Amino acid sequence: MIYSEGYKEHIEYTFAAFCKVVLRNTAMTAYRDFGRKQKREVSLEYLISETPFEPFTTDTYFEQYDQPTIFVVKGQEIVVANKRLADALLRLSKQRCNVLFLYFFFGYTDAQIGKKYRRSRSTANYWKLAALKQLRKEMERLEHE
């Protein structure tokens, strides 16, 4: 199809106007988002100058100690090198501790754990969840001591 020169010029001007509107709206959105972000952010220099403590923390998760704790389950030794975890596991009952070891270290399913203790799968699942909940509480308690 053949278009006249006037129509082609009209299309170019219309497209140029459309591009300008899109660029202007994008710029306004970017400036608005930048302003919102700037209101929420606090500079690091301000934090360092205004806070009396050092702005860092040390992670003690992988902290090793001299004598790791050894647990014996199904005739195999399980070495726990993290002191806090070992202390929390020692505070659990023998059954709950064994259920956790069977599930996480030996790969037993809830059904297999239930069969070993002559209970149902749902009971074994309940024991596992209760042991995890108690372990979490014990670890939090040890962290705050």
Side-chain angles (χ1 to χ4, degrees), residues 1-45:
M1 185 174 248
I2 300 173
Y3 296 110
S4 67
E5 288 298 318
Y7 183 71
K8 288 181 183 179
E9 191 174 318
H10 168 71
I11 295 294
E12 285 180 21
Y13 287 134
T14 305
F15 182 70
F18 171 75
C19 290
K20 288 177 185 176
V21 169
V22 168
L23 288 173
R24 183 189 57 148
N25 289 341
T26 304
M28 288 174 57
T29 302
Y31 285 129
R32 185 181 60 234
D33 291 345
F34 181 72
R36 287 179 183 166
K37 184 178 176 184
Q38 204 170 24
K39 286 179 184 177
R40 289 189 308 258
E41 288 184 347
V42 178
S43 70
L44 185 61
E45 292 86 18

Side-chain angles (χ1 to χ4, degrees), residues 26-138:
T26 304
M28 288 174 57
T29 302
Y31 285 129
R32 185 181 60 234
D33 291 345
F34 181 72
R36 287 179 183 166
K37 184 178 176 184
Q38 204 170 24
K39 286 179 184 177
R40 289 189 308 258
E41 288 184 347
V42 178
S43 70
L44 185 61
E45 292 86 18
Y46 174 77
L47 285 177
I48 291 173
S49 68
E50 294 295 320
T51 56
F53 58 88
E54 294 293 323
F56 65 87
T57 183
T58 52
D59 189 12
T60 58
Y61 181 75
F62 295 106
E63 184 178 277
Q64 299 291 323
Y65 65 106
D66 296 335
Q67 297 178 340
T69 306
I70 298 173
F71 295 92
V72 178
V73 179
K74 290 184 57 181
Q76 292 187 350
E77 293 182 348
I78 298 173
V79 179
V80 178
N82 186 297
K83 181 170 176 39
R84 211 172 90 204
L85 177 61
D87 290 342
L89 284 169
L90 287 171
R91 291 184 178 196
L92 295 179
S93 68
K94 182 83 171 155
Q95 180 190 22
R96 285 186 174 184
C97 195
N98 283 341
V99 167
L100 288 179
F101 285 134
L102 288 174
Y103 184 78
F104 288 107
F105 288 94
F106 293 100
Y108 276 39
T109 63
D110 292 338
Q112 291 171 328
I113 294 171
K115 191 174 184 180
K116 179 174 174 41
Y117 285 102
R118 295 188 179 106
R119 298 287 190 259
S120 67
R121 180 204 56 80
S122 60
T123 301
N125 184 39
Y126 172 76
W127 286 348
K128 178 186 68 178
L129 294 176
L132 286 171
K133 187 175 182 179
Q134 184 182 356
L135 182 66
R136 187 177 300 116
K137 285 182 181 178
E138 294 296 338

